[in-house]
Amino acid sequence: MDFTFTEEQQLMAGAFRELTADICAPEQLRALYDGRDTQAEARWARLAELGLFGVLAAEGDGGLGLADADFILLAEEAGHAALPEPLVEQAAVALPALGAHAGLPSVKALLPQLASGEARLALAHSRNPLANLPPAPTHWLLCESDAAYLIEAAGVDVIVEPSIDAGRRLGRPVVRASAAPLCRGAVARALGENVLSRAALYVAAQSLGVGARMLAISVAYAKEREQFGKPIGAYQAIKHHLASVAVKLEFARAVVYAAVAHVGRTGARSLAALSHAKLAAADAADLAARMAIQVHGAMGYSWEVDLHFYMKRAWALAGAWGDHSFHSRRLQGLVCEEAFALGPDQTFERTA
Amino acid sequence: MDFTFTEEQQLMAGAFRELTADICAPEQLRALYDGRDTQAEARWARLAELGLFGVLAAEGDGGLGLADADFILLAEEAGHAALPEPLVEQAAVALPALGAHAGLPSVKALLPQLASGEARLALAHSRNPLANLPPAPTHWLLCESDAAYLIEAAGVDVIVEPSIDAGRRLGRPVVRASAAPLCRGAVARALGENVLSRAALYVAAQSLGVGARMLAISVAYAKEREQFGKPIGAYQAIKHHLASVAVKLEFARAVVYAAVAHVGRTGARSLAALSHAKLAAADAADLAARMAIQVHGAMGYSWEVDLHFYMKRAWALAGAWGDHSFHSRRLQGLVCEEAFALGPDQTFERTA
Amino acid sequence: MALDFNFTPAQQRFRAEVRAWMQAHVPARALKTLESEEGFAQHREWERTLASGNWGMITWPQQYGGRGASLIDWLIFEEEYYRANAPLRVNQNGIFLLGPTLMEFGTPEQKARFLPRMAAGEEIWAQGWSEPQSGSDLAALRATAVRDGDHYVLKGHKIWSSRAAFADWCFGIFRTEPGSERHKGLSFILVPLRHPGVRVRGIRQIHGEPGFAEIFFEDARVPVANRLGDAGAGWQIAMATAGFERGLMLRSPARFQVAAQKLVQLWRRQAAGADPALGARVAQAWMDAEAYALNTYRTASRLMAGGSIGVEASLNKIFWSELDLELHRTAMSLLGDRAELAAGSPECLDPSWLEGFMFSLAGPIYAGTNEIQRNLIAERLLGLPRA
Amino acid sequence: MALDFNFTPAQQRFRAEVRAWMQAHVPARALKTLESEEGFAQHREWERTLASGNWGMITWPQQYGGRGASLIDWLIFEEEYYRANAPLRVNQNGIFLLGPTLMEFGTPEQKARFLPRMAAGEEIWAQGWSEPQSGSDLAALRATAVRDGDHYVLKGHKIWSSRAAFADWCFGIFRTEPGSERHKGLSFILVPLRHPGVRVRGIRQIHGEPGFAEIFFEDARVPVANRLGDAGAGWQIAMATAGFERGLMLRSPARFQVAAQKLVQLWRRQAAGADPALGARVAQAWMDAEAYALNTYRTASRLMAGGSIGVEASLNKIFWSELDLELHRTAMSLLGDRAELAAGSPECLDPSWLEGFMFSLAGPIYAGTNEIQRNLIAERLLGLPRA
């Protein structure tokens, strides 16, 4: 039982934060929002250079062969930076999920390309039908309820669906009728469940990160902005708003980290843990966003102030990979019907 | 369209408040809580003396022949005082409901006795099976789903059900098998619906009153109690707690007063208005109670401080005459299924 | 008669008249957002149409182009206006803020000069309250107006000025007494926005449109006749204007009742897959919109019976801003994975929910933050001590 | 290894050992409330039973009668303790507050005199912090201890002293330097409660039992040897004690997990007629209890790896007190028209819900109000300026 992170894990997260400070600085996000983004390819290259796409890939596939516990802080940083590219979807969702099915045709060959970032995957799922697109995708992985498709990008038409979050390039895939599935039936369902499970966990981690970013921005503003002769952060109302955000984030963090142990599992206890992580992190980010704008006042409502990049990411993540209704219904069903043993000795139980 | 009260109505409420300040002063409530209450008969006599039981009774029955709009402020005052006796149940619920069925045997004769306070009614209903008993009840009115009974007290066994609110003497009636119903079928249902409708409205009004009382007590305490060299009411956190209570009470008040126009009606719009009144007033009183204890600190948690009399009344009223689930489900059903026309021109629509 | 919830026959006729007019005149296609140049022009045009039917400012006295309508009539009008899905009012600052202020503090010449054009929708007004260092703390303002003969020379920087990007005039307070501090030495001045020395720069809001603007005054000269009230009385007049703003008319109940109705329809569409708890939130939104409407009628009754509106304005501001935010948050939850989709997305069910959600975020901030309102309630209604 | 959520074989054995012992020893019938004289005696007896199995204070070092258990072992112990529905700990002030304080600040003689009897459950301790005029503002305290030879003479009035109605000893701070102000000149003193000049008066709480007491000191003489730490160092020591109070051990996660489990069972019983939104609140209660447990394990891991607990204690205090209140409010809503029924009512489903609800109302107040905790988080964790 050890709920801490290793020094290596913290160092890796720190290195990634430094990278995002460089490639996702607010001025770059602003350029993206203003339609002047020319850096997508460069960002992808920098992510690849740091080896981030291969963290969870097997060493034989050119990866680092690390575990989810090693990626969770990275996903948090991706949220913290409001990273535009779907690093997390490729590296921590699709790649490990496909890796568990490396025996399927064409998968084995693709894994090293995904790990290096040479291949760029667009990922859609019946529960998340709009893919968050990489720049110039090379492949699609589509998980439908009873079949999965792995297709070269040329074989998929894409309908663009603009998001309020300019850092998300959403697209709905239209697969040609002639496309052959990668797998069907039980295998496809297992793949799809694995993808959804991973995505829910890693979206939760990103929500934590973006929530923490909004809290940090708000604290900095509250220290600096003066009204009635003192910083607004000296007023109890502002203090209490931000303290409430800190409480909510801190406890959501514990839930998300603990859910790492459940990722990919399909037992009732694990599904509940993953939905809990998604809901708790989304709630914390939602509160962080509301309090951030309240602390900033009109300033936070302005396009030219950074806050909105992060608020919009928080709103988008709340609906991604199982929205509130999906996870809340699932969890209520499991808990309120006692689909698994409740009680204080069950906190760390895991089922397949 | 006039949403104000007349001077007469306000004067009557003022007179009642003066009376309660005399007969329900905190020291009297304390005696009740400490099991030393000897004043129940005296209180009943004072209420009768002021003619309160007959406000809604016809003049021919010895009443004042007034309307619900004339009683709503009185019910608020009963809540404000945490009045122990079921004045409201007898005068504003049972009496007018029976008055609408004066043709039924034995009802006509009872009305003047109810109006004078000479008869003392215990009222139970399938939705509120525990009656709030008057001192030494003389009669019972029991509304079951398909039959109603009006029985002399000697014919009913009573199981005492202690409430946390010592001002409520609850009893469950056990009717002897030989008892003959007052009415059955449609008439009994109409009577029962009328009783429930009136009771929901008047419980809501009492909740407003007890909420206002808790706010007043808390404001007084916050002005007086000093910490860190100033009154705690000078701190923003305390101010904001109490301001939120004021907001909630004020808007609940409008809802309760407007529901007067719907009392006794059975159309969807009217049922929604009455459930809305019950829910809004209970919510406001609940917030008032929570903020009151928070403002008082340990002092508010003490038996010897008055606050708990009113908190307990607020908790009891929340469950009385249709609890949260009953009214919330009913309202959700009506609104979410559009059982009546929504929209801004429908605010004051009424249906039979 | 107390607690009379029936409309008079005259009120019923008035409702029918408004309904018929709106049916005949409300544009079939929604206008573009009034925060774009084209949309602003469309909304100006709509104000002229309203004025042509004498519906521009019905509560104003007839002498200034209104109908002298009672507050109950105003509520009926608003109900029918929102029911007809009529456009937002670009003229709001004029109708509800500057109009009443001018009527109370203006000279006959000022009333004659400004009110009729305001009523006709010919001149659209912006506010000039906040400055970069004075938001909630309005009295910290620094913009100056220095007397030079029969003119004032204006210098300074106003910000968060709603409508200003495309409006014609603005009203605001300026420091006319050099060296004065806080609430003293301020004057209330009316300034044309297309004027030498006045520069307007739109500020894009989080939805991408310039919903407010900065105004730079660089030695702009305006006649002393443009001052409203006495020199040095600016703070008192501005507080009266702010009272009008927070008062009964800032947000029509009908607006929220229509939104709640739409939310019920969204719920019915989405209920099958929705968290059942969202059903309770939908019902709560309906309840709160009704409560706001009822309490507004209650306040209107009180005012018509001779009462005045004071700190209740703060209660209203908190209630509508919180209900609006919560209503739109519920909609966002119901939209779920489609909530983030912007206008132009084929999968987006209705872009107005996202726009409305973003707009609702501003509610607890503007017209005095809800923190300031709660302070006011605590101090002025409950009598708690100042900090 | 990071994020390892497996218990070691030793931890699993420990759990089995606790479980077996609890099964064998927890009284089959619930004890009377420890706020009654009879119940207090029953709980004292239970402390002796626990001590007989060496389960009294497992985290204390062995030399003082503990087991030197790690924080993870403590969590396992608590899980099994609550799972077994074992009695509340009457000895809590000793185990978690004074015990650690004595170990840190006590002389060898003081440790030898007090710790073993505390561990054995022989002496039960009360706190003496608050005074009528000093609640949140503890430094405003006035009780004095005047030096007279090798004794202090105590005068003053402590209040809201939990357990004091029936306890044996109390600890508290007293002003030992005449004329000193605020945080200065205070000393931490241990006082027997059955002692000349010490008068205890139980204060009934809203549920009717004397859950706390007032203590009047009327020239009570205690030896100077009863002072913990230096004269004048009382504030620092009291702050350390308060840190222990707010820290990891004030509220076991297991307590809330058991309550959440009970709430799920109540929901299943009542679901047919319940507002479906209450189902979401039930699920939220379960989630929050889990989150609190997980975060406690997380903090325990950090502490075992050499970290220290600071302002996180305030985060914990807010989280558990709000979850407990919300959990019990949900239960009250589910109980509906039966929620008001007290023990002794035939229709009352389970009187412990109403008692638990009332108890939960005190959560946001005691051990430092949540307002104070939020101030601390804002200032010490977020670095916002003091007012």
Side-chain angles (χ1 to χ4, degrees), chain B residues 47-73:
Chain B
L47 296 170
E49 211 172 277
L50 202 64
L52 288 163
F53 291 103
V55 171
L56 298 184
E59 292 185 36
D61 293 327
L64 299 179
L66 295 176
D68 289 297
D70 301 301
F71 202 92
I72 196 80
L73 293 180

Short mmCIF file of all heavy atoms in Angstrom, two decimals, chain B residues 47-73:
data_model
loop_
_atom_site.label_atom_id
_atom_site.label_comp_id
_atom_site.label_asym_id
_atom_site.label_seq_id
_atom_site.Cartn_x
_atom_site.Cartn_y
_atom_site.Cartn_z
N LEU B 47 -56.14 31.12 22.30
CA LEU B 47 -56.33 31.08 20.85
C LEU B 47 -57.82 31.20 20.53
O LEU B 47 -58.22 31.94 19.61
CB LEU B 47 -55.77 29.78 20.26
CG LEU B 47 -54.26 29.55 20.40
CD1 LEU B 47 -53.90 28.12 20.00
CD2 LEU B 47 -53.48 30.55 19.55
N ALA B 48 -58.62 30.48 21.32
CA ALA B 48 -60.06 30.50 21.10
C ALA B 48 -60.63 31.89 21.38
O ALA B 48 -61.46 32.41 20.63
CB ALA B 48 -60.73 29.45 21.98
N GLU B 49 -60.14 32.49 22.45
CA GLU B 49 -60.58 33.82 22.85
C GLU B 49 -60.38 34.85 21.73
O GLU B 49 -61.21 35.71 21.50
CB GLU B 49 -59.70 34.23 24.04
CG GLU B 49 -60.30 35.12 25.06
CD GLU B 49 -59.29 35.20 26.21
OE1 GLU B 49 -59.31 34.28 27.07
OE2 GLU B 49 -58.47 36.13 26.20
N LEU B 50 -59.26 34.73 21.04
CA LEU B 50 -58.98 35.68 19.95
C LEU B 50 -59.78 35.32 18.69
O LEU B 50 -59.68 35.99 17.68
CB LEU B 50 -57.47 35.68 19.66
CG LEU B 50 -56.91 36.93 18.96
CD1 LEU B 50 -57.05 38.16 19.83
CD2 LEU B 50 -55.43 36.75 18.58
N GLY B 51 -60.55 34.23 18.75
CA GLY B 51 -61.39 33.86 17.61
C GLY B 51 -60.64 33.19 16.50
O GLY B 51 -61.12 33.11 15.36
N LEU B 52 -59.43 32.71 16.78
CA LEU B 52 -58.58 32.22 15.69
C LEU B 52 -59.12 30.94 15.05
O LEU B 52 -58.90 30.71 13.86
CB LEU B 52 -57.17 32.00 16.21
CG LEU B 52 -56.43 33.32 16.47
CD1 LEU B 52 -55.22 33.10 17.37
CD2 LEU B 52 -56.01 33.96 15.15
N PHE B 53 -59.83 30.13 15.82
CA PHE B 53 -60.31 28.87 15.23
C PHE B 53 -61.42 29.12 14.21
O PHE B 53 -61.65 28.28 13.34
CB PHE B 53 -60.82 27.93 16.33
CG PHE B 53 -59.72 27.40 17.21
CD1 PHE B 53 -59.51 27.91 18.48
CD2 PHE B 53 -58.87 26.41 16.73
CE1 PHE B 53 -58.47 27.43 19.28
CE2 PHE B 53 -57.83 25.93 17.53
CZ PHE B 53 -57.63 26.45 18.80
N GLY B 54 -62.07 30.28 14.31
CA GLY B 54 -63.21 30.52 13.42
C GLY B 54 -62.94 31.45 12.27
O GLY B 54 -63.86 31.85 11.56
N VAL B 55 -61.68 31.80 12.05
CA VAL B 55 -61.39 32.79 11.00
C VAL B 55 -61.99 32.37 9.66
O VAL B 55 -62.59 33.18 8.94
CB VAL B 55 -59.87 33.01 10.87
CG1 VAL B 55 -59.55 33.87 9.64
CG2 VAL B 55 -59.31 33.65 12.13
N LEU B 56 -61.86 31.10 9.33
CA LEU B 56 -62.33 30.65 8.02
C LEU B 56 -63.72 30.00 8.07
O LEU B 56 -64.21 29.50 7.07
CB LEU B 56 -61.32 29.67 7.41
CG LEU B 56 -59.93 30.24 7.15
CD1 LEU B 56 -59.05 29.21 6.45
CD2 LEU B 56 -60.00 31.50 6.30
N ALA B 57 -64.33 29.98 9.24
CA ALA B 57 -65.67 29.40 9.36
C ALA B 57 -66.71 30.41 8.89
O ALA B 57 -66.51 31.63 8.98
CB ALA B 57 -65.94 29.00 10.81
N ALA B 58 -67.82 29.88 8.41
CA ALA B 58 -68.89 30.77 7.95
C ALA B 58 -69.44 31.55 9.13
O ALA B 58 -69.39 31.08 10.28
CB ALA B 58 -70.00 29.93 7.31
N GLU B 59 -69.98 32.72 8.83
CA GLU B 59 -70.55 33.53 9.92
C GLU B 59 -71.67 32.78 10.61
O GLU B 59 -71.82 32.84 11.83
CB GLU B 59 -71.01 34.88 9.39
CG GLU B 59 -69.81 35.72 8.95
CD GLU B 59 -70.21 37.14 8.51
OE1 GLU B 59 -71.15 37.71 9.10
OE2 GLU B 59 -69.59 37.65 7.56
N GLY B 60 -72.44 32.03 9.83
CA GLY B 60 -73.53 31.25 10.39
C GLY B 60 -73.05 30.17 11.34
O GLY B 60 -73.80 29.69 12.19
N ASP B 61 -71.80 29.81 11.21
CA ASP B 61 -71.24 28.81 12.13
C ASP B 61 -70.44 29.48 13.25
O ASP B 61 -69.62 28.84 13.91
CB ASP B 61 -70.32 27.84 11.36
CG ASP B 61 -71.12 26.97 10.40
OD1 ASP B 61 -72.28 26.64 10.72
OD2 ASP B 61 -70.59 26.63 9.31
N GLY B 62 -70.65 30.76 13.39
CA GLY B 62 -69.97 31.46 14.46
C GLY B 62 -68.57 31.92 14.09
O GLY B 62 -67.79 32.32 14.95
N GLY B 63 -68.26 31.88 12.80
CA GLY B 63 -66.91 32.25 12.37
C GLY B 63 -66.87 33.66 11.83
O GLY B 63 -67.85 34.41 11.89
N LEU B 64 -65.72 34.03 11.29
CA LEU B 64 -65.56 35.36 10.71
C LEU B 64 -65.85 35.36 9.22
O LEU B 64 -65.91 36.41 8.59
CB LEU B 64 -64.13 35.87 10.94
CG LEU B 64 -63.70 36.02 12.40
CD1 LEU B 64 -62.24 36.51 12.46
CD2 LEU B 64 -64.61 37.00 13.12
N GLY B 65 -65.97 34.18 8.63
CA GLY B 65 -66.30 34.09 7.20
C GLY B 65 -65.23 34.66 6.30
O GLY B 65 -65.51 35.16 5.22
N LEU B 66 -63.98 34.59 6.75
CA LEU B 66 -62.90 35.15 5.93
C LEU B 66 -62.32 34.10 4.98
O LEU B 66 -62.75 32.93 4.98
CB LEU B 66 -61.80 35.72 6.84
CG LEU B 66 -62.26 36.93 7.69
CD1 LEU B 66 -61.16 37.37 8.64
CD2 LEU B 66 -62.69 38.09 6.80
N ALA B 67 -61.35 34.54 4.18
CA ALA B 67 -60.81 33.68 3.11
C ALA B 67 -59.38 33.27 3.43
O ALA B 67 -58.74 33.81 4.34
CB ALA B 67 -60.86 34.42 1.78
N ASP B 68 -58.88 32.32 2.65
CA ASP B 68 -57.53 31.83 2.89
C ASP B 68 -56.49 32.95 2.88
O ASP B 68 -55.51 32.89 3.61
CB ASP B 68 -57.18 30.75 1.87
CG ASP B 68 -57.95 29.46 2.14
OD1 ASP B 68 -57.76 28.87 3.21
OD2 ASP B 68 -58.79 29.08 1.30
N ALA B 69 -56.71 33.94 2.03
CA ALA B 69 -55.77 35.07 1.99
C ALA B 69 -55.69 35.76 3.35
O ALA B 69 -54.70 36.43 3.65
CB ALA B 69 -56.19 36.07 0.92
N ASP B 70 -56.73 35.58 4.16
CA ASP B 70 -56.73 36.19 5.48
C ASP B 70 -56.05 35.31 6.53
O ASP B 70 -55.77 35.76 7.63
CB ASP B 70 -58.18 36.46 5.93
CG ASP B 70 -58.90 37.37 4.95
OD1 ASP B 70 -58.41 38.50 4.75
OD2 ASP B 70 -59.90 36.93 4.37
N PHE B 71 -55.84 34.06 6.19
CA PHE B 71 -55.25 33.16 7.20
C PHE B 71 -53.77 32.91 6.96
O PHE B 71 -53.06 32.50 7.88
CB PHE B 71 -56.00 31.82 7.22
CG PHE B 71 -55.83 31.08 8.52
CD1 PHE B 71 -56.75 31.25 9.55
CD2 PHE B 71 -54.74 30.26 8.76
CE1 PHE B 71 -56.58 30.60 10.77
CE2 PHE B 71 -54.57 29.61 9.97
CZ PHE B 71 -55.49 29.78 10.99
N ILE B 72 -53.30 33.19 5.75
CA ILE B 72 -51.95 32.73 5.42
C ILE B 72 -50.90 33.37 6.32
O ILE B 72 -49.95 32.72 6.77
CB ILE B 72 -51.67 32.93 3.90
CG1 ILE B 72 -50.48 32.13 3.46
CG2 ILE B 72 -51.55 34.40 3.52
CD1 ILE B 72 -50.79 30.68 3.22
N LEU B 73 -51.09 34.66 6.63
CA LEU B 73 -50.12 35.32 7.51
C LEU B 73 -50.21 34.77 8.94
O LEU B 73 -49.22 34.74 9.68
CB LEU B 73 -50.34 36.84 7.53
CG LEU B 73 -50.04 37.60 6.23
CD1 LEU B 73 -50.31 39.10 6.44
CD2 LEU B 73 -48.60 37.40 5.79
#
